[in-house]
Amino acid sequence: MEKTKENVFGDGKKQKAGRVVEKPTNPMVTPLLNDLYQFTMAYAYWKAGKQSERSVFDLYFRKNPFGGEYTIFAGLEECIKFLANFTLTDQEIDFVRHSLPCCEEAFCDYLRGLDCSDIEVYAISEGSVVFPKVPLLRIEGPVAVVQLLETPFLNLINYASLVATNAARHRFVAGKSKLLLEFGARRAQGPDGAISASKYCYLGGFDATSNVAAGRLFGIPLRGTHSHAFVSSFMSLDEIVDKALRSSDGKTTCEDFVSLVQTCLSKIQSSALSGIFSETNKSELAAFTSYALAFPSAFLALVDTYDVMKSGIPNFCAVALALNELGYKAVGIRLDSGDLAYLSTEARKFFCGVERELNVSDFGKMIITASNDLNEETVDALNKQGHEVDAFGIGTNLVTCYSQAALGCVFKLVEINKQPRIKLSEDVTKVSIPCKKRTYRLFGKEGYPLVDIMTGENEPPPKVGERLLCRHPFNESKRAYVVPQRVEELLKCYWRGNAGEAREELEPLKEIRSRCIKQLENMRPDHMRRLNPTPYKVSVSAELYDFIHNLWLNEAPVGELH
Amino acid sequence: MEKTKENVFGDGKKQKAGRVVEKPTNPMVTPLLNDLYQFTMAYAYWKAGKQSERSVFDLYFRKNPFGGEYTIFAGLEECIKFLANFTLTDQEIDFVRHSLPCCEEAFCDYLRGLDCSDIEVYAISEGSVVFPKVPLLRIEGPVAVVQLLETPFLNLINYASLVATNAARHRFVAGKSKLLLEFGARRAQGPDGAISASKYCYLGGFDATSNVAAGRLFGIPLRGTHSHAFVSSFMSLDEIVDKALRSSDGKTTCEDFVSLVQTCLSKIQSSALSGIFSETNKSELAAFTSYALAFPSAFLALVDTYDVMKSGIPNFCAVALALNELGYKAVGIRLDSGDLAYLSTEARKFFCGVERELNVSDFGKMIITASNDLNEETVDALNKQGHEVDAFGIGTNLVTCYSQAALGCVFKLVEINKQPRIKLSEDVTKVSIPCKKRTYRLFGKEGYPLVDIMTGENEPPPKVGERLLCRHPFNESKRAYVVPQRVEELLKCYWRGNAGEAREELEPLKEIRSRCIKQLENMRPDHMRRLNPTPYKVSVSAELYDFIHNLWLNEAPVGELH
């Protein structure tokens, strides 16, 4: 996404060492999108003369969401865009000054000069499958500046990764062959929730979105037809004034498409298919006919405004048959209520009946889209029951991550002035892993990832074919030898201040999406299953293990028994 | 919020009939923040010559969130800002054209001329307590334009109302006297999720936010101190170079505040309070001392990095005592882990002990802030157990509305070309209430609201002191006579196209917040309780009831038994 074109808001970009990085997608992502305490701390560091002390922070999460054993990492591009354009305007500085309990003028000068030219960010590639405790980002730089990145980074990564993971889980349960459409704009948590959801659901394996802004910003395919209101806005066929429709090949014009539709409806009514319905709703027929006149080559109708089988399906078929006579192929239907397994099956039977009785080839292959409060569980239940749905439109549950609305990424100091730091806690899962680290993914014979391992920065990397001890970071007895068949270093440099040339390019969304899909396919199936998945192993080297536990003993207070 | 100053992004504003309405807070709120089907329908309406048909839509929800019996209405201001500035740019129109399956050039001309000058919006005042089925907004205008408002309006209202309601529920359980701080920026669903959350939590009764951008945009009070990283970034007291601190009255300077702190710590250690601790953590003491040097008049310390009672509290007290000697008053502490009931009680005992043993007046009144994964339930549990917390910092659960991540507002056609429209459904709760309506809130003798009633547009309004039959919209047997002591019309005009003078002013956030707090206090307590609250009654007039049910019978398909 590093290109020269302007972003949609016509904003400029900041030039860094010959490479241009666009501004964040949302103009509200500024250094003030921050907790006040990042500024109070910056002031306190500055007062103590500590503001430039070199520090290393890890950004990671502690637990996979949705009861699963994997997470998709997303949001990196927006973080890099944020720091590439990090600067405080005079008005922003003025606001910060007035927000602090006290503030010397010289601190404002310090803020005025701040940017991320002295920051280094190593990260796992966006779209990767990731696991708890392993740093997604390692951020190094002057402590006051790095802390100012904490809140924006967490904000940009937490939801992005959560919703991308949710999308991947929906894809997993729906299967590869189904079309997955994100329909969440109206229920998302705010405008940005909607636009981010569209982006990261696409990244996580969805095929398209209904959100026009997201389609425009990210090049995501768009989908959408009409609503119930469109259907009920019509009263009768008499409303349709312009009834002419040119044939698909442009050679003839049907002067009265409305009559043609009515003829087709009569054909159905007088065929063997007539059993299940008598009179269909005429305002619905008018709406469908109108919609087909507007989009003869892309006719897709919402068929449940009145009654799916008694009205919607026969009306749809009448219009689809009329289109067929003019050389067009209707796309299909959308079901937005009721028993989707039953209705999709009945609809399919009806379409196949039309194909058979009225001799219309491929009519049975109409695309059936379903879209009523769907989520992982309902899609799974539909699969178990059997259905004829080809495409799922998923909104609320997907974009708000209804079953778990937040991911808990944290941002922890692991080193300052070359001194390792550890955050202790009575809850062992909350103890941080100290030191500036490297991380590797080790692959086994069958090509699956076996284990992620963290090492100290200066340890030699694991080698293919060489036996290596992988230790659980906190549980002494959990250890395993691994002979990796392939070793992949996970953290790559995505930002190195002024030395722009020495870092990874930001990738187009489609490439990130491909990585995600490919890595998911390459996971051992027992990690991926919905019920009781096997945890993927995350480990530290023997050397790092010893180091952590020595430091722990040094830092922990010794209790006194009285 | 209608003023002449520029908004923070320096954007212009659109002039409407002599009144200026600012742009939406988030520049991403444009007409493209829309489902594609609003544009496909606009095209189909336009093709059918129906685009200007006068239509009325209701925006309402069907069920209160969080298992409660009330909802706070929020998001109206942003909707009005959106429609006041509604216009499609040439580039946006170009994108729409390419997104539609087919599109005549003349439709682009139509889109080019679109604005909301022919739209009328009636709404309940923002910050009101509202109930299911009663329209929050009634939007009237050309059908194609009104439908283009559906997705943005739902997006702007659903989350705003949900999170404001969540905030109000947290306020209810915490009680009036506690300070409630919103700390959600890092876990919110995207940047806008964070900024909207801060705004609407304040509206719903919170006192302050940690989010600097929200503080700046909306004038919300800001709060924040320091994190664990700040504490662990210090290694020892030797790091502190500039040790001088001038006294509060400016008359004297303590040249070595670090020594003063150490002396104070010794005093505590040699007092009757020494029982529970021996050596405190020195890097923590260095961090606290440094923070106090930066903010002597606003010293608030996070005390759980190492061990609250063995290290954090004694260290805090040492620094607070040293500040006290120079005429400053420390603010208090923050607890971010562990058993908050126990720790807050122990901390209070210690503070009172210092007050007593060392004779420091008011030391026992230190403010204790708690902030570890709090939500309605944990605050309620703390209250039941007994605690000494004065301020709650609430993040994830509050802003992501973890216990219910979406509100289901819908947008239904109720009239077109003066013809009433009804959306039927096998699920009675999903049947829409047709007609352009008026709505009233009727108050009883004790001043509480008794019932909301919807009537046809031209029915005479309910009168104070006159008996009135209120009917459940769908349940024949549920009826009640009411003699209102006060009648309040709920829907007021907030937008009337070009006739800008004839509408309500948008109010400052503080006034909206006051309305919310006042209305909540004025509700009958049984509607508000957390366990088994009584549903508030929502009704229709006898005349509207009959009308609905006649229309229903007309529209519903008659089944056939074979």
Side-chain angles (χ1 to χ4, degrees):
Chain A
M1 289 293 194
E2 299 191 25
K3 27 188 173 172
T4 48
K5 79 166 179 59
E6 295 236 312
N7 74 18
V8 288
F9 299 105
D11 294 326
K13 297 130 290 202
K14 208 169 178 186
Q15 187 94 14
K16 279 276 171 192
R19 284 217 275 179
V20 166
V21 179
E22 285 177 13
K23 288 199 170 183
T25 301
N26 188 341
M28 300 178 91
V29 178
T30 72
L32 292 201
L33 181 68
N34 232 323
D35 289 307
L36 181 65
Y37 80 179
Q38 312 292 7
F39 286 100
T40 58
M41 286 191 279
Y43 183 75
Y45 285 132
W46 175 83
K47 274 290 283 181
K50 271 174 77 78
Q51 73 277 12
S52 299
E53 289 185 1
R54 196 86 189 154
S55 62
V56 182
F57 284 76
D58 282 349
L59 188 155
Y60 61 97
F61 60 93
R62 295 174 179 135
K63 198 171 180 310
N64 290 301
F66 311 119
E69 290 296 347
Y70 66 95
T71 298
I72 304 300
F73 171 45
L76 175 62
E77 180 191 5
E78 296 293 336
C79 290
I80 302 300
K81 286 179 170 178
F82 170 69
L83 60 74
N85 293 281
F86 185 101
T87 182
L88 284 148
T89 66
D90 286 344
Q91 294 94 313
E92 288 171 336
I93 291 169
D94 210 47
F95 184 76
V96 169
R97 189 216 333 251
H98 291 297
S99 302
L100 296 180
C102 52
C103 179
E104 292 174 24
E105 188 55 40
F107 178 66
C108 296
D109 297 335
Y110 167 70
L111 288 181
R112 210 162 281 125
L114 275 196
D115 63 20
C116 289
S117 57
D118 205 18
I119 296 285
E120 216 176 62
V121 174
Y122 278 71
I124 299 183
S125 301
E126 190 162 0
S128 295
V129 178
V130 293
F131 305 99
K133 297 193 280 283
V134 181
L136 306 174
L137 282 86
R138 188 187 78 199
I139 304 104
E140 182 175 347
V143 63
V145 185
V146 180
Q147 291 235 244
L148 285 170
L149 303 177
E150 175 177 8
T151 310
F153 273 25
L154 287 174
N155 179 281
L156 292 169
I157 287 169
N158 267 324
Y159 177 60
S161 300
L162 182 73
V163 76
T165 308
N166 205 16
R169 294 181 63 86
H170 280 79
R171 166 58 71 196
F172 181 82
V173 68
K176 268 188 184 185
S177 66
K178 300 298 174 193
L179 212 59
L180 290 184
L181 318 171
E182 178 271 312
F183 281 178
R186 63 188 56 199
R187 300 281 169 81
Q189 296 199 352
D192 190 275
I195 289 170
S196 303
S198 305
K199 176 178 179 180
Y200 297 114
C201 288
Y202 183 64
L203 187 159
F206 268 56
D207 297 296
T209 178
S210 65
N211 184 333
V212 183
R216 180 160 181 241
L217 282 165
F218 310 117
I220 306 171
L222 286 169
R223 288 299 175 105
T225 56
H226 66 81
S227 70
H228 295 119
F230 183 81
V231 175
S232 36
S233 79
F234 285 81
M235 306 292 283
S236 84
L237 285 163
D238 302 338
E239 282 181 67
I240 302 173
V241 182
D242 187 356
K243 303 175 181 182
L245 182 62
R246 190 175 297 195
S247 64
S248 168
D249 58 11
K251 287 184 185 160
T252 57
T253 296
C254 164
E255 293 301 334
D256 189 349
F257 184 69
V258 175
S259 293
L260 181 59
V261 166
Q262 286 174 305
T263 310
C264 290
L265 184 61
S266 302
K267 263 193 216 170
I268 302 171
Q269 277 165 329
S270 56
S271 76
L273 301 158
S274 68
I276 59 162
F277 71 101
S278 50
E279 279 305 300
T280 64
N281 186 297
K282 286 300 168 282
S283 59
E284 182 180 58
L285 187 63
F288 290 179
T289 306
S290 242
Y291 198 76
L293 283 165
F295 301 111
S297 59
F299 178 58
L300 200 161
L302 175 63
V303 293
D304 66 349
T305 304
Y306 298 101
D307 186 298
V308 174
M309 294 313 298
K310 285 184 194 136
S311 185
I313 295 287
N315 279 338
F316 166 78
C317 290
V319 177
L321 284 173
L323 285 171
N324 194 65
E325 297 209 359
L326 299 176
Y328 296 101
K329 266 197 175 168
V331 175
I333 58 162
R334 181 160 72 96
L335 296 166
D336 192 38
S337 59
D339 180 338
L340 299 172
Y342 171 77
L343 291 172
S344 65
T345 309
E346 290 301 303
R348 180 71 70 209
K349 276 189 212 161
F350 201 94
F351 296 151
C352 293
V354 170
E355 177 167 344
R356 194 178 55 241
E357 297 294 326
L358 303 176
N359 203 16
V360 195
S361 62
D362 288 346
F363 205 95
K365 296 193 185 111
M366 288 293 167
I367 291 176
I368 300 176
T369 303
S371 62
N372 180 32
D373 250 345
L374 296 173
N375 60 26
E376 259 190 271
E377 275 62 43
T378 49
V379 172
D380 190 45
L382 282 171
N383 286 345
K384 282 172 182 149
Q385 206 182 335
H387 64 83
E388 286 289 339
V389 175
D390 305 294
F392 292 105
I394 312 185
T396 313
N397 292 288
L398 175 70
V399 305
T400 65
C401 299
Y402 210 88
S403 62
Q404 182 182 327
L407 182 67
C409 281
V410 295
F411 193 91
K412 294 289 169 195
L413 179 68
V414 295
E415 190 179 295
I416 187 163
N417 291 330
K418 301 267 171 205
Q419 298 297 312
R421 303 309 283 153
I422 188 169
K423 164 77 184 76
L424 300 179
S425 171
E426 287 177 29
D427 180 354
V428 168
T429 63
K430 286 195 169 184
V431 173
S432 65
I433 300 177
C435 304
K436 183 172 175 180
K437 296 178 288 292
R438 289 170 170 246
T439 62
Y440 305 89
R441 184 157 296 171
L442 311 183
F443 294 79
K445 274 185 211 148
E446 282 148 2
Y448 296 128
L450 288 180
V451 61
D452 285 4
I453 186 167
M454 296 173 255
T455 75
E457 194 201 0
N458 299 316
E459 287 185 55
K463 287 207 184 79
V464 169
E466 275 187 20
R467 205 170 80 138
L468 179 75
L469 183 62
C470 297
R471 299 199 63 165
H472 186 287
F474 305 122
N475 189 328
E476 206 177 4
S477 65
K478 286 191 178 172
R479 299 164 298 177
Y481 283 107
V482 175
V483 183
Q485 301 304 305
R486 187 156 77 81
V487 174
E488 197 183 299
E489 180 150 19
L490 292 176
L491 290 172
K492 293 171 189 161
C493 183
Y494 277 90
W495 184 258
R496 187 175 278 144
N498 289 321
E501 301 308 325
R503 58 181 166 86
E504 302 289 317
E505 292 282 341
L506 294 180
E507 299 155 301
L509 179 57
K510 281 199 168 57
E511 278 178 35
I512 298 172
R513 180 173 185 267
S514 300
R515 169 181 297 118
C516 175
I517 293 170
K518 205 175 136 198
Q519 288 202 9
L520 285 167
E521 284 174 356
N522 197 36
M523 290 297 296
R524 215 174 61 204
D526 59 316
H527 299 309
M528 310 304 290
R529 67 183 174 221
R530 295 185 62 239
L531 215 63
N532 294 324
T534 314
Y536 179 84
K537 286 189 178 56
V538 167
S539 67
V540 296
S541 65
E543 197 175 314
L544 183 57
Y545 181 91
D546 291 339
F547 190 89
I548 295 171
H549 290 265
N550 284 330
L551 189 67
W552 194 337
L553 284 176
N554 271 337
E555 298 267 344
V558 184
E560 292 205 21
L561 299 175
H562 296 278
Chain B
M1 289 291 193
E2 301 190 25
K3 27 190 172 165
T4 48
K5 80 166 180 58
E6 294 236 315
N7 74 16
V8 289
F9 299 102
D11 293 328
K13 295 132 295 202
K14 207 167 174 187
Q15 186 94 16
K16 281 276 169 190
R19 284 217 275 179
V20 168
V21 179
E22 284 176 14
K23 288 198 171 186
T25 301
N26 187 341
M28 299 179 90
V29 179
T30 72
L32 292 202
L33 181 68
N34 232 322
D35 289 305
L36 181 65
Y37 80 178
Q38 313 291 7
F39 286 100
T40 57
M41 286 192 280
Y43 184 75
Y45 285 131
W46 176 83
K47 273 290 285 181
K50 272 173 78 80
Q51 73 276 13
S52 299
E53 289 186 1
R54 197 85 189 155
S55 63
V56 182
F57 284 75
D58 282 351
L59 188 154
Y60 61 98
F61 60 93
R62 295 173 179 134
K63 200 172 178 313
N64 291 301
F66 311 118
E69 289 297 347
Y70 65 96
T71 299
I72 304 301
F73 171 46
L76 176 61
E77 180 192 5
E78 296 293 337
C79 289
I80 301 301
K81 286 179 171 178
F82 169 69
L83 59 75
N85 293 280
F86 185 102
T87 181
L88 285 148
T89 66
D90 287 343
Q91 294 94 312
E92 288 171 335
I93 291 170
D94 210 45
F95 184 76
V96 169
R97 191 219 327 254
H98 291 298
S99 302
L100 296 180
C102 51
C103 179
E104 291 174 24
E105 190 53 41
F107 178 66
C108 296
D109 297 335
Y110 167 70
L111 288 181
R112 211 161 281 127
L114 274 196
D115 63 20
C116 290
S117 56
D118 204 17
I119 297 283
E120 217 178 61
V121 174
Y122 278 72
I124 299 182
S125 300
E126 190 162 0
S128 295
V129 178
V130 292
F131 304 98
K133 298 193 279 283
V134 181
L136 306 174
L137 282 86
R138 187 187 78 200
I139 305 104
E140 181 175 345
V143 63
V145 185
V146 180
Q147 292 234 244
L148 285 169
L149 304 176
E150 174 176 8
T151 310
F153 273 26
L154 288 174
N155 179 281
L156 292 169
I157 287 169
N158 267 324
Y159 176 60
S161 300
L162 182 74
V163 76
T165 308
N166 204 16
R169 295 181 63 85
H170 280 79
R171 166 58 69 196
F172 182 83
V173 69
K176 267 188 182 183
S177 67
K178 299 298 174 193
L179 212 58
L180 290 184
L181 318 171
E182 177 271 312
F183 282 177
R186 63 189 57 201
R187 300 281 169 82
Q189 296 200 350
D192 189 274
I195 290 171
S196 302
S198 305
K199 176 177 180 182
Y200 297 115
C201 287
Y202 183 64
L203 187 160
F206 268 56
D207 297 297
T209 178
S210 64
N211 184 334
V212 183
R216 180 158 182 243
L217 281 165
F218 311 118
I220 306 170
L222 285 169
R223 288 300 176 101
T225 55
H226 67 80
S227 70
H228 295 118
F230 183 82
V231 175
S232 37
S233 80
F234 285 81
M235 306 291 286
S236 86
L237 285 163
D238 302 338
E239 283 180 67
I240 303 174
V241 183
D242 188 357
K243 303 176 180 184
L245 182 62
R246 188 175 296 197
S247 65
S248 168
D249 59 11
K251 288 183 183 157
T252 58
T253 296
C254 165
E255 293 301 335
D256 190 349
F257 184 69
V258 175
S259 294
L260 181 59
V261 166
Q262 286 173 304
T263 310
C264 291
L265 184 59
S266 303
K267 263 192 217 169
I268 302 171
Q269 277 165 330
S270 57
S271 77
L273 299 159
S274 70
I276 58 161
F277 70 102
S278 51
E279 279 305 299
T280 63
N281 185 297
K282 285 300 169 285
S283 59
E284 182 180 59
L285 187 63
F288 290 178
T289 306
S290 241
Y291 198 77
L293 282 165
F295 302 112
S297 59
F299 177 57
L300 200 160
L302 175 63
V303 293
D304 66 349
T305 304
Y306 298 102
D307 186 299
V308 174
M309 295 313 299
K310 287 181 194 136
S311 185
I313 295 286
N315 278 338
F316 165 80
C317 290
V319 178
L321 284 173
L323 285 172
N324 194 66
E325 297 207 2
L326 298 175
Y328 296 101
K329 267 198 175 165
V331 176
I333 58 161
R334 180 160 72 95
L335 296 166
D336 192 38
S337 59
D339 179 338
L340 299 173
Y342 172 79
L343 290 173
S344 65
T345 309
E346 290 302 303
R348 179 74 67 210
K349 276 189 213 159
F350 201 95
F351 296 149
C352 292
V354 171
E355 176 167 345
R356 193 179 55 242
E357 298 294 325
L358 303 177
N359 203 17
V360 194
S361 63
D362 289 343
F363 205 93
K365 297 196 183 105
M366 289 293 167
I367 291 175
I368 301 176
T369 304
S371 62
N372 181 32
D373 249 344
L374 296 172
N375 60 26
E376 258 191 271
E377 275 63 42
T378 49
V379 173
D380 190 47
L382 282 171
N383 285 346
K384 282 172 183 152
Q385 204 181 336
H387 64 85
E388 287 289 339
V389 176
D390 304 294
F392 292 104
I394 312 186
T396 313
N397 292 288
L398 175 69
V399 305
T400 65
C401 300
Y402 210 87
S403 62
Q404 181 182 329
L407 182 65
C409 281
V410 294
F411 193 90
K412 293 290 170 194
L413 179 68
V414 295
E415 190 178 295
I416 188 164
N417 291 329
K418 301 270 172 198
Q419 298 297 312
R421 304 306 284 152
I422 188 169
K423 165 77 184 76
L424 301 179
S425 172
E426 286 177 29
D427 180 354
V428 169
T429 64
K430 286 195 168 183
V431 174
S432 66
I433 299 177
C435 303
K436 182 170 176 180
K437 296 178 288 292
R438 290 170 167 247
T439 63
Y440 305 89
R441 184 158 295 174
L442 310 183
F443 294 79
K445 275 184 209 147
E446 282 148 1
Y448 295 129
L450 289 181
V451 61
D452 285 3
I453 185 168
M454 296 174 252
T455 74
E457 194 201 359
N458 299 316
E459 288 185 54
K463 287 206 185 79
V464 169
E466 274 187 21
R467 203 170 81 137
L468 179 74
L469 183 62
C470 297
R471 300 200 62 166
H472 186 287
F474 305 121
N475 188 329
E476 205 176 7
S477 65
K478 287 192 177 170
R479 299 164 298 177
Y481 282 107
V482 175
V483 182
Q485 302 303 306
R486 187 156 78 80
V487 174
E488 197 183 298
E489 180 150 18
L490 293 176
L491 290 173
K492 291 172 190 160
C493 184
Y494 277 89
W495 184 257
R496 187 173 279 143
N498 288 321
E501 302 308 324
R503 57 182 166 86
E504 302 288 318
E505 292 282 341
L506 294 180
E507 300 155 299
L509 179 57
K510 280 198 170 59
E511 278 178 36
I512 297 173
R513 180 173 185 268
S514 301
R515 170 180 298 119
C516 174
I517 293 169
K518 204 175 137 199
Q519 287 202 9
L520 285 166
E521 284 173 355
N522 197 36
M523 289 298 296
R524 216 174 62 203
D526 59 317
H527 300 308
M528 310 304 290
R529 67 183 173 221
R530 294 185 64 240
L531 214 63
N532 294 325
T534 313
Y536 179 83
K537 285 189 180 54
V538 167
S539 67
V540 295
S541 66
E543 196 175 316
L544 184 56
Y545 180 90
D546 292 338
F547 190 87
I548 295 170
H549 290 265
N550 284 329
L551 189 67
W552 193 336
L553 284 176
N554 271 336
E555 298 268 343
V558 183
E560 293 206 18
L561 299 176
H562 295 279

